PDB file of all heavy atoms in Angstrom:
ATOM      1  N   VAL B 296      66.263  78.461  99.837  1.00  0.00           N
ATOM      2  CA  VAL B 296      67.498  77.679  99.998  1.00  0.00           C
ATOM      3  C   VAL B 296      68.557  78.548 100.684  1.00  0.00           C
ATOM      4  O   VAL B 296      69.318  78.087 101.537  1.00  0.00           O
ATOM      5  CB  VAL B 296      68.021  77.175  98.639  1.00  0.00           C
ATOM      6  CG1 VAL B 296      69.317  76.398  98.826  1.00  0.00           C
ATOM      7  CG2 VAL B 296      66.983  76.311  97.947  1.00  0.00           C
ATOM      8  N   ILE B 297      68.581  79.829 100.308  1.00  0.00           N
ATOM      9  CA  ILE B 297      69.576  80.741 100.888  1.00  0.00           C
ATOM     10  C   ILE B 297      69.283  80.997 102.367  1.00  0.00           C
ATOM     11  O   ILE B 297      70.179  80.981 103.206  1.00  0.00           O
ATOM     12  CB  ILE B 297      69.585  82.069 100.095  1.00  0.00           C
ATOM     13  CG1 ILE B 297      70.148  81.831  98.695  1.00  0.00           C
ATOM     14  CG2 ILE B 297      70.389  83.143 100.822  1.00  0.00           C
ATOM     15  CD1 ILE B 297      69.895  82.957  97.714  1.00  0.00           C
ATOM     16  N   LEU B 298      68.006  81.162 102.686  1.00  0.00           N
ATOM     17  CA  LEU B 298      67.642  81.573 104.045  1.00  0.00           C
ATOM     18  C   LEU B 298      67.483  80.405 105.010  1.00  0.00           C
ATOM     19  O   LEU B 298      67.847  80.506 106.177  1.00  0.00           O
ATOM     20  CB  LEU B 298      66.315  82.345 104.012  1.00  0.00           C
ATOM     21  CG  LEU B 298      66.320  83.748 103.411  1.00  0.00           C
ATOM     22  CD1 LEU B 298      64.882  84.236 103.256  1.00  0.00           C
ATOM     23  CD2 LEU B 298      67.096  84.706 104.297  1.00  0.00           C
ATOM     24  N   ASP B 299      66.893  79.337 104.535  1.00  0.00           N
ATOM     25  CA  ASP B 299      66.376  78.322 105.450  1.00  0.00           C
ATOM     26  C   ASP B 299      67.241  77.066 105.433  1.00  0.00           C
ATOM     27  O   ASP B 299      67.238  76.333 104.446  1.00  0.00           O
ATOM     28  CB  ASP B 299      64.928  77.994 105.033  1.00  0.00           C
ATOM     29  CG  ASP B 299      64.295  76.966 105.947  1.00  0.00           C
ATOM     30  OD1 ASP B 299      64.933  76.603 106.967  1.00  0.00           O
ATOM     31  OD2 ASP B 299      63.175  76.511 105.648  1.00  0.00           O
ATOM     32  N   PRO B 300      67.951  76.792 106.506  1.00  0.00           N
ATOM     33  CA  PRO B 300      68.808  75.595 106.542  1.00  0.00           C
ATOM     34  C   PRO B 300      67.998  74.315 106.331  1.00  0.00           C
ATOM     35  O   PRO B 300      68.527  73.324 105.817  1.00  0.00           O
ATOM     36  CB  PRO B 300      69.428  75.614 107.938  1.00  0.00           C
ATOM     37  CG  PRO B 300      68.923  76.805 108.637  1.00  0.00           C
ATOM     38  CD  PRO B 300      67.986  77.545 107.761  1.00  0.00           C
ATOM     39  N   GLY B 301      66.721  74.354 106.687  1.00  0.00           N
ATOM     40  CA  GLY B 301      65.873  73.175 106.515  1.00  0.00           C
ATOM     41  C   GLY B 301      65.748  72.760 105.063  1.00  0.00           C
ATOM     42  O   GLY B 301      65.590  71.576 104.747  1.00  0.00           O
ATOM     43  N   CYS B 302      65.809  73.727 104.157  1.00  0.00           N
ATOM     44  CA  CYS B 302      65.676  73.424 102.726  1.00  0.00           C
ATOM     45  C   CYS B 302      66.951  72.835 102.156  1.00  0.00           C
ATOM     46  O   CYS B 302      66.989  72.449 100.993  1.00  0.00           O
ATOM     47  CB  CYS B 302      65.346  74.683 101.935  1.00  0.00           C
ATOM     48  SG  CYS B 302      63.750  75.344 102.314  1.00  0.00           S
ATOM     49  N   ARG B 303      68.016  72.821 102.950  1.00  0.00           N
ATOM     50  CA  ARG B 303      69.291  72.357 102.412  1.00  0.00           C
ATOM     51  C   ARG B 303      69.576  70.904 102.743  1.00  0.00           C
ATOM     52  O   ARG B 303      70.677  70.412 102.523  1.00  0.00           O
ATOM     53  CB  ARG B 303      70.429  73.254 102.923  1.00  0.00           C
ATOM     54  CG  ARG B 303      70.248  74.707 102.539  1.00  0.00           C
ATOM     55  CD  ARG B 303      71.392  75.558 103.063  1.00  0.00           C
ATOM     56  NE  ARG B 303      70.910  76.881 103.452  1.00  0.00           N
ATOM     57  CZ  ARG B 303      71.282  77.525 104.559  1.00  0.00           C
ATOM     58  NH1 ARG B 303      72.154  76.966 105.387  1.00  0.00           N
ATOM     59  NH2 ARG B 303      70.791  78.713 104.835  1.00  0.00           N
ATOM     60  N   THR B 304      68.589  70.220 103.323  1.00  0.00           N
ATOM     61  CA  THR B 304      68.754  68.779 103.526  1.00  0.00           C
ATOM     62  C   THR B 304      68.080  68.056 102.359  1.00  0.00           C
ATOM     63  O   THR B 304      67.311  68.662 101.619  1.00  0.00           O
ATOM     64  CB  THR B 304      68.087  68.330 104.833  1.00  0.00           C
ATOM     65  OG1 THR B 304      66.687  68.574 104.715  1.00  0.00           O
ATOM     66  CG2 THR B 304      68.642  69.103 106.023  1.00  0.00           C
ATOM     67  N   VAL B 305      68.355  66.774 102.225  1.00  0.00           N
ATOM     68  CA  VAL B 305      67.758  66.022 101.115  1.00  0.00           C
ATOM     69  C   VAL B 305      66.243  66.060 101.215  1.00  0.00           C
ATOM     70  O   VAL B 305      65.546  66.394 100.248  1.00  0.00           O
ATOM     71  CB  VAL B 305      68.251  64.554 101.120  1.00  0.00           C
ATOM     72  CG1 VAL B 305      67.498  63.752 100.075  1.00  0.00           C
ATOM     73  CG2 VAL B 305      69.744  64.494 100.869  1.00  0.00           C
ATOM     74  N   VAL B 306      65.730  65.770 102.394  1.00  0.00           N
ATOM     75  CA  VAL B 306      64.286  65.717 102.550  1.00  0.00           C
ATOM     76  C   VAL B 306      63.679  67.119 102.493  1.00  0.00           C
ATOM     77  O   VAL B 306      62.647  67.342 101.857  1.00  0.00           O
ATOM     78  CB  VAL B 306      63.932  65.003 103.870  1.00  0.00           C
ATOM     79  CG1 VAL B 306      62.456  65.136 104.178  1.00  0.00           C
ATOM     80  CG2 VAL B 306      64.333  63.534 103.776  1.00  0.00           C
ATOM     81  N   GLY B 307      64.343  68.070 103.115  1.00  0.00           N
ATOM     82  CA  GLY B 307      63.851  69.443 103.088  1.00  0.00           C
ATOM     83  C   GLY B 307      63.801  69.986 101.668  1.00  0.00           C
ATOM     84  O   GLY B 307      62.871  70.708 101.301  1.00  0.00           O
ATOM     85  N   PHE B 308      64.781  69.631 100.874  1.00  0.00           N
ATOM     86  CA  PHE B 308      64.830  70.097  99.492  1.00  0.00           C
ATOM     87  C   PHE B 308      63.687  69.477  98.688  1.00  0.00           C
ATOM     88  O   PHE B 308      63.046  70.152  97.876  1.00  0.00           O
ATOM     89  CB  PHE B 308      66.186  69.736  98.880  1.00  0.00           C
ATOM     90  CG  PHE B 308      66.465  70.422  97.569  1.00  0.00           C
ATOM     91  CD1 PHE B 308      66.587  71.798  97.496  1.00  0.00           C
ATOM     92  CD2 PHE B 308      66.627  69.675  96.409  1.00  0.00           C
ATOM     93  CE1 PHE B 308      66.858  72.434  96.283  1.00  0.00           C
ATOM     94  CE2 PHE B 308      66.895  70.303  95.198  1.00  0.00           C
ATOM     95  CZ  PHE B 308      67.011  71.681  95.132  1.00  0.00           C
TER      96      PHE B 308
END
Side-chain angles (χ1 to χ4, degrees):
Chain B
V296 179
I297 291 166
L298 289 170
D299 181 6
C302 294
R303 301 180 215 137
T304 63
V305 173
V306 170
F308 193 64

